[in-house]
Amino acid sequence: MNHPIIPIAVIDASKQRKRQAPKGRRVDPQALAEVQRLLGSESRRPDLLIEHLHKIQDQFGHLSAAHLAALAQEMRMAQTEVYEVATFYHHFDVVKEGETAPPALTVRVCDGLSCEMAGAKDLLAKLPALLGREVRVIAAPCVGRCEQAPVAVVGQNPVPNASCESISQTVAADARQHEPDGFIDLPTYQAAGGYALLKQCVSGERDVEAVLKTMEDSGLRGLGGAGFPSGRKWRIVRAEKGPRLMAVNIDEGEPGTFKDRVYLERDPHRFLEGMLIAAWAVGIEKIYVYLRDEYHGCRNMLEAELARLRLDPLMAGMPEIELRRGAGAYICGEESAMIESIEGKRGMPRLRPPYVAQVGLFGRPTLEHNFETLYWIREILEKGGEWFASHGRNGRKGLRSFSVSGRVKEPGVKLAPAGITIQELIDEYCGGMLEGQKFYAYLPGGASGGILPATMNTIPLDFDTLQPYGCFIGSAAVIILSDKDTATDAARNMMSFFHHESCGQCTPCRVGTAKAAHLMEQPKWDLALLADLSLVMRDASICGLGQAAPNPMDCVVKYFPHELA
């Protein structure tokens, strides 16, 4: 059979025509025009990917395939890069081609432990029928308002002490969050002596070495959970070759933690002044502030106060401050995962070494600090390191801000001496237990800090005091259980949270949390298998999430065996 001879030139031309078509999804011109209008003249740098995803989500209520493809072209990124970031974070609603977009309004009901104890499951059961199909109702991990449990978030507006009625009213009225009472804006802060200390530092009245020495004398340790000595951290980063950067962690996603939000809502400039003093002392060129997306009201307030502050002559020569928005990922509270997120990537922890102080943001030495650590700097430098160290009980030094929630009469942020016991904290600072309820157990350090029985109520609450009992204080998120609760249910809630929030990078955490959560739902726990899972997760997980996830489970086995009988 004779075949027609096709000229080589025709074959080459055909191949060339095929090559001219872009690989992957073609970009829709209308979607591209919409993305370009949204971004305007803003930079298309890759590290701004998450910020730009937020703009699209805020405008359209979801992220369509067409808009993701358009954003990828506009930022000169691969579509797979954009898609993997968009699908990593819980607050981005990615709608694939052919799928139906979610309703315009979403109500998130917190199912963290404090909210669960306060009736969140009942809200989740009743709200879908009450609000109808035009409103999406979903469970959400801790939203950082445990003292107001149960909490719902309507769109971006929190509803404290939520009920079906108050949530319905908020949906109907589209209510907005207002500034809390006692808010201290820039003029008020300056009138009370605010930023005078920063002026002394910048003018040379205060010496860097003297400031470093005061920080070391205070004994102030990182208050985000790790507890690394702050003065020593400043020296380490200062010794690194510049340019040096700074990353501020306000992503407090640990269930039970809300202290940073409370302080930020009331006195933001105390934190900002401490941040700028730290930047001056260490020689920082640029500051990135990473704020969790759940704190929508805080973000609006902080943007407004930063805009005011930038107009002050004092800011001439100060580092540029860039506010970055999280997107709903607990793992980004881990310092290296937060840095990955600031760089516009999935928030996956890095292997160490190298450490963030040497190789952090964009490969530069980075001073990473929690919000509250910076909040204390002004007072420590004004009153002296000895003043801060003079507080404490039971042989401990310093002050701690405890986020207390659960079955107490007066939950909230309690500023108390380091080393206070749980019984003293409940009796002296929280008004005692709720009427008719008896103290049964407590979580001294949030979801990952373990669970202890009420009989162990004389342990000083501080760094290094709880480790012998298989627990730790972390960010001092204290959740109180009563005789109406069980440690087993609390541990199940926590393991479910860890399973939901695992970034999936390492097998011990990804598979271990899923398997443990499944086993813990069974009527009878397989203790031998759970012990094996605990060992592997502790020894082989990349970061603290997987390493600490077994703590509540192990504490139940150790301290509450009667619940498993």
Side-chain angles (χ1 to χ4, degrees):
M1 186 177 190
N2 294 327
H3 297 280
I5 298 174
I6 302 174
I8 293 175
V10 174
I11 297 174
D12 288 343
S14 175
K15 287 182 178 179
Q16 183 63 32
R17 281 197 298 274
K18 289 180 180 179
R19 287 196 190 103
Q20 287 174 352
K23 293 182 179 180
R25 185 182 305 278
R26 291 179 179 271
V27 175
D28 176 66
Q30 180 180 342
L32 181 60
E34 289 170 344
V35 168
Q36 289 172 335
R37 279 198 298 272
L38 270 178
L39 302 191
S41 61
E42 292 191 36
S43 171
R44 270 60 167 173
R45 297 193 323 262
D47 63 286
L48 292 172
L49 173 59
I50 294 171
E51 297 296 308
H52 294 340
L53 286 170
H54 274 302
K55 289 183 177 67
I56 298 172
Q57 170 96 11
D58 290 346
Q59 178 68 27
F60 298 101
H62 62 279
L63 300 173
S64 68
H67 283 134
L68 291 177
L71 181 62
Q73 177 169 310
E74 188 66 13
M75 297 187 71
R76 299 183 180 275
M77 298 176 70
Q79 291 185 22
T80 52
E81 289 181 273
V82 173
Y83 183 80
E84 72 176 10
V85 171
T87 53
F88 180 85
Y89 295 93
H90 302 316
H91 289 187
F92 291 140
D93 291 313
V94 177
V95 178
K96 299 176 184 177
E97 209 166 71
E99 290 184 344
T100 303
L105 183 62
T106 295
V107 174
R108 290 180 166 85
V109 178
C110 176
D111 65 356
L113 180 56
S114 298
C115 287
E116 182 180 278
M117 291 192 296
K121 286 184 177 179
D122 188 51
L123 291 175
L124 284 165
K126 293 178 179 178
L127 282 172
L130 185 64
L131 298 178
R133 294 183 179 179
E134 298 304 310
V135 178
R136 178 176 59 162
V137 178
I138 60 175
C142 184
V143 298
R145 295 180 177 274
C146 316
E147 84 281 23
Q148 302 167 353
V151 178
V153 181
V154 177
Q156 293 177 320
N157 304 302
V159 182
N161 308 117
S163 64
C164 288
E165 182 181 7
S166 63
I167 293 170
S168 299
Q169 290 174 348
T170 306
V171 168
D174 193 24
R176 299 293 173 186
Q177 183 182 16
H178 300 289
E179 286 182 354
D181 295 335
F183 175 73
I184 302 172
D185 61 10
L186 179 59
T188 306
Y189 183 75
Q190 288 178 319
Y195 291 108
L197 181 61
L198 177 61
K199 289 178 182 177
Q200 293 172 11
C201 293
V202 173
S203 67
E205 289 182 54
R206 286 189 179 250
D207 174 70
V208 171
E209 181 57 36
V211 167
L212 291 172
K213 180 70 165 52
T214 301
M215 291 298 297
E216 290 170 334
D217 290 345
S218 72
L220 179 68
R221 295 171 65 169
L223 298 174
F228 193 85
S230 301
R232 192 193 311 170
K233 181 185 286 190
W234 290 16
R235 287 195 187 275
I236 290 171
V237 180
R238 181 178 169 82
E240 294 292 321
K241 184 179 178 181
R244 308 175 199 91
L245 303 175
M246 185 175 183
V248 181
N249 189 341
I250 322 182
D251 192 59
E252 56 174 1
E254 182 75 17
T257 306
F258 48 90
K259 61 183 177 61
D260 292 352
R261 187 207 88 237
V262 169
Y263 286 142
L264 178 58
E265 283 178 337
R266 288 159 175 77
D267 198 357
H269 289 281
R270 185 172 297 272
F271 147 69
L272 290 173
E273 184 170 12
M275 179 182 77
L276 291 168
I277 289 169
W280 163 81
V282 178
I284 298 297
E285 294 201 5
K286 187 171 182 179
I287 301 170
Y288 294 83
V289 178
Y290 191 86
L291 179 65
R292 72 180 306 201
D293 194 35
E294 288 84 349
Y295 294 170
H296 180 69
C298 288
R299 184 174 63 254
N300 289 341
M301 173 274 294
L302 197 53
E303 285 174 342
E305 292 303 311
L306 279 172
R308 279 180 164 183
L309 183 59
R310 290 185 183 109
L311 298 176
D312 194 292
L314 175 65
M315 292 302 290
M318 285 283 104
E320 178 186 353
I321 303 169
E322 196 164 316
L323 184 59
R324 290 297 180 89
R325 180 177 173 184
Y330 166 73
I331 192 64
C332 290
E334 196 275 340
E335 63 175 7
S336 65
M338 177 187 68
I339 282 172
E340 289 285 299
S341 189
I342 292 173
E343 291 181 358
K345 297 178 285 190
R346 294 175 294 171
M348 289 189 165
R350 298 175 179 177
L351 290 170
R352 286 169 282 190
Y355 295 96
V356 165
Q358 284 81 39
V359 182
L361 265 171
F362 309 111
R364 301 308 312 163
T366 302
L367 177 66
E368 191 275 343
H369 264 314
N370 164 259
F371 168 92
E372 194 200 351
T373 312
L374 299 169
Y375 183 86
W376 283 109
I377 288 174
R378 174 188 165 186
E379 201 157 1
I380 287 172
L381 293 179
E382 286 179 341
K383 297 180 179 178
E386 297 79 6
W387 164 81
F388 188 80
S390 68
H391 296 84
R393 290 187 187 177
N394 300 306
R396 310 304 297 180
K397 294 182 178 181
L399 291 165
R400 293 305 304 261
S401 299
F402 293 92
S403 303
V404 186
S405 62
R407 308 292 194 181
V408 292
K409 288 181 179 176
E410 300 169 10
V413 175
K414 311 297 179 180
L415 182 60
I420 193 172
T421 67
I422 190 65
Q423 195 66 59
E424 291 168 338
L425 189 63
I426 293 171
D427 294 342
E428 298 176 31
Y429 289 83
C430 302
M433 297 292 293
L434 287 171
E435 291 297 334
Q437 300 196 31
K438 183 181 178 182
F439 180 31
Y440 176 68
Y442 65 107
L443 287 75
S448 53
I451 309 174
L452 292 171
T455 53
M456 299 175 67
N457 62 350
T458 59
I459 303 169
L461 299 179
D462 197 14
F463 295 114
D464 312 320
T465 59
L466 293 155
Q467 280 84 337
Y469 308 97
C471 300
F472 59 81
I473 194 168
S475 60
V478 177
I479 304 176
I480 306 296
L481 309 185
S482 77
D483 53 355
K484 295 184 179 295
D485 311 302
T486 67
T488 306
D489 283 343
R492 287 192 183 107
N493 180 287
M494 297 308 173
M495 190 59 75
S496 175
F497 170 80
F498 290 130
H499 174 216
H500 183 265
E501 294 298 319
S502 173
C503 75
Q505 179 177 192
C506 66
T507 303
C509 179
R510 181 183 68 250
V511 177
T513 53
K515 182 68 173 177
H518 173 71
L519 291 172
M520 292 167 70
E521 288 297 330
Q522 306 310 307
K524 186 173 180 62
W525 286 13
D526 185 335
L527 299 183
L529 185 51
L530 286 171
D532 286 344
L533 279 172
S534 174
L535 181 64
V536 172
M537 290 168 69
R538 292 181 187 281
D539 288 349
S541 294
I542 288 174
C543 82
L545 191 156
Q547 294 163 11
N551 283 344
M553 171 184 78
D554 289 348
C555 283
V556 168
V557 175
K558 185 175 182 180
Y559 299 116
F560 303 89
H562 57 280
E563 292 189 14
L564 303 175

Coordinates of all heavy atoms in Angstrom, one line a residue, residues 536-565:
V536 N 6.9 6.5 67.4 CA 7.3 6.9 66.1 C 7.1 8.4 65.8 O 7.9 9.0 65.2 CB 6.6 6.0 65.0 CG1 6.9 6.5 63.6 CG2 7.0 4.6 65.2
M537 N 5.9 8.9 66.2 CA 5.6 10.3 66.0 C 6.6 11.2 66.7 O 7.0 12.2 66.1 CB 4.2 10.6 66.4 CG 3.1 10.0 65.5 SD 1.5 10.0 66.2 CE 1.1 11.8 66.1
R538 N 6.9 10.9 67.9 CA 7.9 11.7 68.7 C 9.3 11.7 68.1 O 9.9 12.7 68.0 CB 7.9 11.2 70.1 CG 6.6 11.4 70.9 CD 6.8 10.9 72.4 NE 5.5 11.0 73.1 CZ 5.0 12.1 73.6 NH1 5.7 13.2 73.5 NH2 3.9 12.1 74.3
D539 N 9.7 10.5 67.7 CA 11.1 10.3 67.2 C 11.3 10.8 65.8 O 12.4 11.2 65.5 CB 11.5 8.9 67.4 CG 11.7 8.5 68.8 OD1 11.7 9.4 69.7 OD2 11.8 7.2 69.1
A540 N 10.3 10.7 64.9 CA 10.5 10.8 63.5 C 9.8 12.0 62.8 O 10.1 12.3 61.7 CB 10.2 9.5 62.8
S541 N 8.9 12.7 63.5 CA 8.2 13.8 62.9 C 9.2 15.0 62.7 O 10.1 15.2 63.6 CB 7.0 14.3 63.8 OG 6.0 13.3 63.8
I542 N 9.0 15.7 61.7 CA 9.9 16.8 61.4 C 9.8 18.0 62.4 O 10.8 18.6 62.7 CB 9.6 17.4 59.9 CG1 10.1 16.3 58.9 CG2 10.3 18.7 59.7 CD1 9.8 16.7 57.5
C543 N 8.6 18.3 62.8 CA 8.4 19.5 63.6 C 7.6 19.2 64.9 O 7.2 18.0 65.1 CB 7.7 20.6 62.8 SG 5.9 20.5 62.7
G544 N 7.4 20.2 65.7 CA 6.7 20.0 67.0 C 5.3 19.6 66.9 O 4.8 19.0 67.9
L545 N 4.6 19.7 65.8 CA 3.2 19.3 65.7 C 3.2 17.8 65.9 O 2.5 17.3 66.8 CB 2.6 19.7 64.4 CG 1.0 19.5 64.3 CD1 0.5 20.4 63.2 CD2 0.6 18.1 64.0
G546 N 3.9 17.1 65.1 CA 3.9 15.6 65.2 C 4.5 15.1 66.5 O 4.1 14.1 67.0
Q547 N 5.6 15.8 66.9 CA 6.3 15.4 68.1 C 5.5 15.5 69.4 O 5.6 14.7 70.3 CB 7.6 16.2 68.2 CG 8.6 15.9 67.1 CD 9.6 17.0 67.0 OE1 9.8 17.9 67.9 NE2 10.4 17.0 65.9
A548 N 4.6 16.5 69.4 CA 3.8 16.8 70.6 C 2.4 16.3 70.5 O 1.7 16.2 71.6 CB 3.8 18.3 70.9
A549 N 1.9 15.9 69.3 CA 0.5 15.4 69.2 C 0.2 14.3 70.1 O -1.0 14.2 70.6 CB 0.3 15.0 67.7
P550 N 1.1 13.3 70.4 CA 0.7 12.2 71.3 C 0.5 12.6 72.8 O 0.0 11.8 73.6 CB 1.9 11.2 71.2 CG 2.6 11.6 69.9 CD 2.4 13.1 69.8
N551 N 0.9 13.8 73.2 CA 0.9 14.2 74.6 C -0.4 14.0 75.3 O -0.5 13.3 76.3 CB 1.4 15.6 74.8 CG 2.9 15.8 74.7 OD1 3.6 14.8 74.7 ND2 3.4 17.0 74.5
P552 N -1.5 14.5 74.8 CA -2.8 14.3 75.4 C -3.2 12.9 75.5 O -3.7 12.4 76.6 CB -3.8 15.1 74.6 CG -3.0 16.1 73.9 CD -1.7 15.5 73.6
M553 N -3.0 12.1 74.5 CA -3.3 10.7 74.4 C -2.5 9.9 75.5 O -3.0 9.1 76.3 CB -3.0 10.2 73.0 CG -3.1 8.7 72.9 SD -2.6 8.2 71.2 CE -0.7 8.4 71.3
D554 N -1.2 10.2 75.5 CA -0.3 9.5 76.5 C -0.7 9.9 77.9 O -0.6 9.0 78.8 CB 1.1 9.8 76.2 CG 1.7 9.2 74.9 OD1 1.0 8.3 74.4 OD2 2.7 9.6 74.5
C555 N -1.1 11.1 78.1 CA -1.5 11.5 79.5 C -2.8 10.8 80.0 O -2.9 10.5 81.1 CB -1.7 13.0 79.5 SG -0.2 14.0 79.6
V556 N -3.7 10.6 79.0 CA -4.9 9.9 79.4 C -4.5 8.4 79.9 O -5.0 8.0 80.9 CB -5.9 9.8 78.2 CG1 -7.0 8.8 78.5 CG2 -6.5 11.2 77.9
V557 N -3.7 7.8 79.1 CA -3.3 6.4 79.5 C -2.6 6.4 80.8 O -2.8 5.5 81.6 CB -2.3 5.9 78.4 CG1 -1.8 4.5 78.8 CG2 -3.1 5.8 77.0
K558 N -1.7 7.4 81.1 CA -0.9 7.5 82.3 C -1.7 7.9 83.5 O -1.6 7.3 84.6 CB 0.3 8.4 82.1 CG 1.3 8.4 83.2 CD 2.5 9.3 82.9 CE 3.5 9.3 84.0 NZ 4.7 10.1 83.6
Y559 N -2.5 9.0 83.4 CA -3.1 9.6 84.5 C -4.6 9.3 84.7 O -5.2 9.6 85.7 CB -2.9 11.1 84.5 CG -1.5 11.5 84.5 CD1 -0.9 12.2 83.5 CD2 -0.7 11.2 85.6 CE1 0.5 12.6 83.5 CE2 0.7 11.6 85.7 CZ 1.2 12.3 84.6 OH 2.5 12.6 84.6
F560 N -5.3 8.8 83.6 CA -6.7 8.6 83.7 C -7.1 7.2 83.2 O -8.0 7.0 82.4 CB -7.5 9.6 82.8 CG -7.2 11.1 83.2 CD1 -6.1 11.8 82.6 CD2 -8.0 11.7 84.1 CE1 -5.8 13.1 82.9 CE2 -7.7 13.1 84.4 CZ -6.7 13.7 83.8
P561 N -6.4 6.2 83.7 CA -6.7 4.8 83.3 C -8.1 4.3 83.6 O -8.6 3.5 82.9 CB -5.6 4.0 84.0 CG -5.3 4.8 85.2 CD -5.3 6.2 84.8
H562 N -8.7 4.9 84.6 CA -10.1 4.5 85.0 C -11.1 4.9 83.9 O -12.1 4.2 83.8 CB -10.5 5.2 86.3 CG -10.4 6.7 86.2 ND1 -9.2 7.4 86.4 CD2 -11.3 7.7 86.0 CE1 -9.4 8.7 86.3 NE2 -10.7 8.9 86.1
E563 N -10.7 5.9 83.0 CA -11.6 6.2 82.0 C -11.6 5.2 80.8 O -12.5 5.1 80.0 CB -11.3 7.6 81.4 CG -11.6 8.8 82.4 CD -11.4 10.1 81.7 OE1 -11.4 10.2 80.4 OE2 -11.4 11.2 82.4
L564 N -10.5 4.4 80.8 CA -10.3 3.5 79.7 C -10.7 2.1 80.1 O -10.7 1.1 79.3 CB -8.9 3.5 79.2 CG -8.3 4.8 78.8 CD1 -6.8 4.7 78.5 CD2 -9.0 5.3 77.5
A565 N -11.0 1.9 81.4 CA -11.4 0.6 81.9 C -12.7 0.0 81.3 O -13.6 0.8 81.0 CB -11.4 0.6 83.4

